[in-house]
């Protein structure tokens, strides 16, 4: 099992990059840079590529609506070039509040658009003359939709790899099936090892049945906070604001994918209450309403023996990459936590 770590998009990025050498020596295999309505991930990934030598880097994630498919392909090829073939392209649909609110782009057909974006990216990386007729993207642009001067082109540079790994963030059944079918990796959210099979098993099997052999086994990238110690239960409360934000406030009623996931895990009443409180502006009450057993199941927080059991549970549930956030207060303690979990995972 590979161990990865996300870098915070809202502050402390350059400081975190300066410390990455220690994490790399501790066994860290990959670093993820998110992109929300924050600084863009691409500039930071380029900086990261220049400051590291061996560790893999990944966008985690780039929203599909914010760039044309060909720009996404060019960006991935550029990052793969400056990193010497160490880049993974993480993609996702984000949600209507961000896409329509911050970017002013209609949030339509996320599944079909994702599939077409991936197909176009791979054609670009193979340096094919780009002619694509999809439902949502047509290249070159048809004469009736433009000047008529569009020309089928291929990328000028030779990409380092013609198959850059694609990681799709997905939690809905159709999205998950598509990830298992077309992507090298799948990134779920709030992964509950004991309930993952029940919630996603059918979708994964459906996608795997259509999966091309050349894609290889699906890399299942699971995020979890990490704290090792005998007296660490109190750290579970640090997860409450984020869980409440996603389950309660990341979308309107009826259009919150994370709320739907909590319900599918069996927390129907709790999810409804968290959303009701959060949308009413009662955020602290929403945080308090998050069930502690949900926090514990989706975290790696506890004594060493317990955490080794949890790692086994994650592996049994299909996780192949653990994207952990060490919660220790000091750098040396965070490095030690990464070193320990890398040792257990190996």
């Amino acid at each position: 099992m590979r161990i990865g770590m996300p870098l915070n998009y809202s502050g402390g990025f350059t400081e975190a990059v300066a410390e990455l050498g220690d994490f790399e020596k501790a066994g860290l295999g990959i670093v993820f840079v998110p992109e929300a309505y924050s600084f863009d991930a691409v500039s930071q990934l380029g900086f990261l590529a220049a400051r590291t030598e061996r560790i893999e880097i990944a966008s985690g994630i780039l929203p599909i609506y914010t760039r044309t498919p060909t720009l996404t392909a060019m960006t991935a090829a550029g990052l793969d070039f400056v990193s010497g073939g160490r880049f993974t392209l993480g993609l996702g649909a984000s949600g209507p509040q961000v896409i329509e609110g911050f970017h002013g782009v209609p949030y339509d057909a996320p599944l079909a658009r994702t599939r077409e974006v991936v197909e176009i990216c791979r054609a670009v990386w193979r340096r094919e003359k780009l002619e694509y007729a999809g439902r949502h993207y047509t290249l070159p642009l048809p004469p009736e939709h433009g000047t008529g001067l569009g020309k089928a082109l291929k990328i000028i540079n030779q990409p380092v790899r013609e198959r850059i790994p694609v990681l799709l963030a997905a939690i809905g059944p159709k999205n998950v099936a598509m990830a298992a079918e077309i992507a090298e990796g799948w990134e779920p959210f709030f992964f509950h090892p004991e309930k993952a099979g029940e919630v996603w098993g059918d979708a994964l099997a459906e996608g795997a049945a259509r999966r091309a052999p050349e894609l290889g086994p699906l890399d299942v990238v699971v995020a979890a906070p990490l704290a090792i110690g005998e007296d660490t239960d109190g750290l579970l409360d640090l997860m409450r604001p984020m869980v409440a934000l996603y389950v309660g406030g990341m979308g309107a009623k009826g259009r919150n994918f994370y709320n739907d996931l909590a319900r599918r895990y069996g927390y129907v009443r709790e999810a409804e209450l968290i959303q009701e409180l959060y949308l009413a502006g009662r955020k602290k009450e929403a945080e308090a309403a998050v069930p502690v057993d949900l926090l514990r199941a989706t975290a790696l927080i506890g004594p060493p023996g317990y955490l080794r059991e949890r790692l086994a549970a994650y592996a049994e549930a299909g996780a192949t990459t653990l994207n952990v956030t060490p919660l220790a207060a000091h750098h040396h303690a965070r490095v030690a936590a990464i070193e320990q979990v890398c040792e257990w995972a190996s």
Side-chain angles (χ1 to χ4, degrees):
M1 189 182 292
R2 178 175 61 167
I3 302 300
M5 187 174 72
L7 294 185
N8 196 337
Y9 55 73
S10 61
F13 179 82
T14 53
E15 293 83 357
V17 172
E19 297 174 342
L20 266 183
D22 294 335
F23 288 108
E24 194 169 17
K25 291 174 185 175
L28 191 70
I30 187 168
V31 177
F32 296 82
V33 179
E35 183 176 274
Y37 41 101
S38 52
F39 290 151
D40 75 290
V42 175
S43 59
Q44 297 181 84
L45 283 160
F47 179 81
L48 188 56
R51 293 299 183 95
T52 56
E53 295 181 359
R54 295 182 303 279
I55 200 165
E56 296 181 50
I57 62 175
S59 55
I61 58 169
L62 299 184
I64 61 168
Y65 295 94
T66 59
R67 298 164 176 85
T68 66
T70 41
L71 177 58
T72 298
M74 292 162 62
T75 298
L79 287 169
D80 207 43
F81 169 68
V82 297
S83 66
R86 293 183 285 133
F87 178 65
T88 292
L89 175 62
L91 294 172
S94 186
Q97 285 190 328
V98 173
I99 298 306
E100 296 186 355
F102 194 71
H103 295 285
V105 177
Y107 188 86
D108 65 333
L111 271 74
R113 286 187 182 276
T114 299
R115 183 181 292 272
E116 292 188 18
V117 168
V118 172
E119 289 174 351
I120 292 168
C121 281
R122 287 175 173 159
V124 170
W125 300 332
R126 291 191 297 265
R127 293 198 76 228
E128 296 176 2
K129 186 177 286 188
L130 200 54
E131 295 179 311
Y132 186 86
R135 183 177 177 184
H136 301 282
Y137 303 103
T138 304
L139 301 166
L141 193 67
E144 62 271 21
H145 293 152
T147 64
L149 299 175
K151 183 179 180 180
L153 302 170
K154 63 181 179 181
I155 190 170
I156 294 172
N157 309 78
Q158 178 69 53
V160 174
R161 294 180 289 176
E162 69 171 29
R163 172 146 257 157
I164 296 169
V166 172
L167 171 72
L168 294 182
I171 55 176
K174 293 181 180 179
N175 306 55
V176 171
M178 181 177 64
E181 177 190 353
I182 71 170
E184 280 83 2
W186 166 51
E187 183 181 15
F189 201 74
F190 293 143
F191 189 86
H192 190 313
E194 285 73 24
K195 298 187 183 237
E198 176 186 340
V199 171
W200 288 309
D202 290 345
L204 289 169
E206 177 188 334
R210 299 191 295 265
R211 186 176 181 84
E214 60 266 24
L215 287 174
L218 183 68
D219 183 19
V220 180
V221 180
V222 175
L226 170 67
I228 305 170
E230 298 294 335
D231 189 22
T232 53
D233 258 14
L235 294 176
L236 290 169
D237 289 333
L238 296 177
M239 300 170 60
R240 291 185 180 277
M242 185 184 72
V243 176
L245 166 64
Y246 277 83
V247 174
M250 199 63 79
K253 278 197 172 184
R255 292 300 300 273
N256 184 325
F257 312 127
Y258 310 101
N259 190 278
D260 293 342
L261 177 59
R263 292 168 184 266
R264 290 165 67 202
Y265 278 157
Y267 299 98
V268 178
R269 292 182 181 177
E270 295 89 340
E272 183 175 354
L273 176 60
I274 293 165
Q275 187 175 57
E276 179 183 323
L277 291 169
Y278 202 95
L279 294 180
R282 297 157 64 184
K283 295 181 181 180
K284 288 298 181 184
E285 293 176 64
E287 293 170 13
V290 177
V292 69
D293 56 327
L294 174 60
L295 298 175
R296 184 171 284 112
T298 55
L300 287 168
I301 294 177
Y306 169 76
L307 291 190
R308 295 188 74 163
E309 293 175 2
R310 295 309 294 158
L311 283 176
Y314 275 94
E316 179 68 24
T320 52
T321 296
L322 280 179
N323 190 20
V324 299
T325 302
L327 300 179
H330 305 292
H331 172 64
H332 293 301
R334 291 191 291 271
V335 171
I338 290 291
E339 186 173 26
Q340 181 64 85
V341 80
C342 284
E343 181 183 327
W344 290 336
S346 65

